[in-house]
Amino acid sequence: MALSTEQALALLLILNSAHLTAADCRPLDRVAVSGSAGGRAVLPCSYTPTPGQHVEVRWYAYSDQGDHILLIASKTPSARISAQWSGRVKLSDEVSSGNASLLISELRLEDTRYYTCDVWINGICVTHRNVNLTVQGHLKRDSTTATTQKTSPCPTQQGNAAAQRRSYCMKPL
């Protein structure tokens, strides 16, 4: 049974959409960011904006045990933020333009950990970025230094199984 050109294109479109929906948005890289205690750091995250689409950005922080904490979500920016980050985290004002970066001010040594940024457009995860923030013990030196490493899609610490679970997008609530 031969397909017409229109049928073949429709089938290709359906298969491509199914792939995007089924994909768990694995990152291709991870970013290392460093900052100094008392300073600030920008955790980079971006996506290609699509006009007229519903966009949701969520930033998570991970403990050494692999548990995640929702830091901030664009859908509910005024939602209660964990006391550890209250008053210190801010989502970019340019989310609608594709900048989903997170600013953490008044850095503390305990802010050293893995973070993830998930960007959803119409319920489909389009961006998942792992960011490893390292806070140094020096005072008041701002840093937005980021390096991109083309490495494994999931940050791991001594083979920590919990770290392996970080490599997928969290479903929006």
Side-chain angles (χ1 to χ4, degrees), residues 20-154:
L20 288 174
T21 303
D24 58 356
C25 213
R26 294 193 185 273
L28 298 176
D29 61 12
R30 64 179 163 181
V31 176
V33 175
S34 61
S36 298
R40 62 184 178 164
V42 174
L43 281 53
C45 185
S46 61
Y47 69 98
T48 303
T50 307
Q53 304 293 316
H54 171 72
V55 176
E56 183 175 0
V57 176
R58 289 177 169 239
W59 274 95
Y60 296 89
Y62 288 85
S63 69
D64 289 337
Q65 294 77 30
D67 300 324
H68 68 276
I69 300 163
L70 176 63
L71 287 180
I72 196 163
S74 62
K75 192 173 182 180
T76 54
S78 59
R80 187 173 172 273
I81 296 174
S82 174
Q84 181 178 353
W85 288 281
S86 184
R88 302 188 308 118
V89 295
K90 182 181 184 311
L91 192 58
S92 169
D93 292 331
E94 301 170 350
V95 169
S96 62
S97 300
N99 182 357
S101 299
L102 181 73
L103 172 67
I104 303 178
S105 57
E106 300 173 31
L107 286 172
R108 302 173 184 169
L109 294 177
E110 60 267 23
D111 292 336
T112 296
R113 63 182 65 222
Y114 285 103
Y115 297 82
T116 59
C117 168
D118 291 342
V119 179
W120 295 80
I121 296 179
N122 291 339
I124 298 173
C125 183
V126 296
T127 298
H128 174 81
R129 169 154 269 180
N130 290 318
V131 180
N132 182 15
L133 174 62
T134 303
V135 179
Q136 316 276 322
H138 309 294
L139 291 178
K140 285 289 185 191
R141 200 176 96 213
D142 291 347
S143 175
T144 57
T145 304
T147 57
T148 301
Q149 305 167 342
K150 296 288 181 188
T151 59
S152 67
C154 179

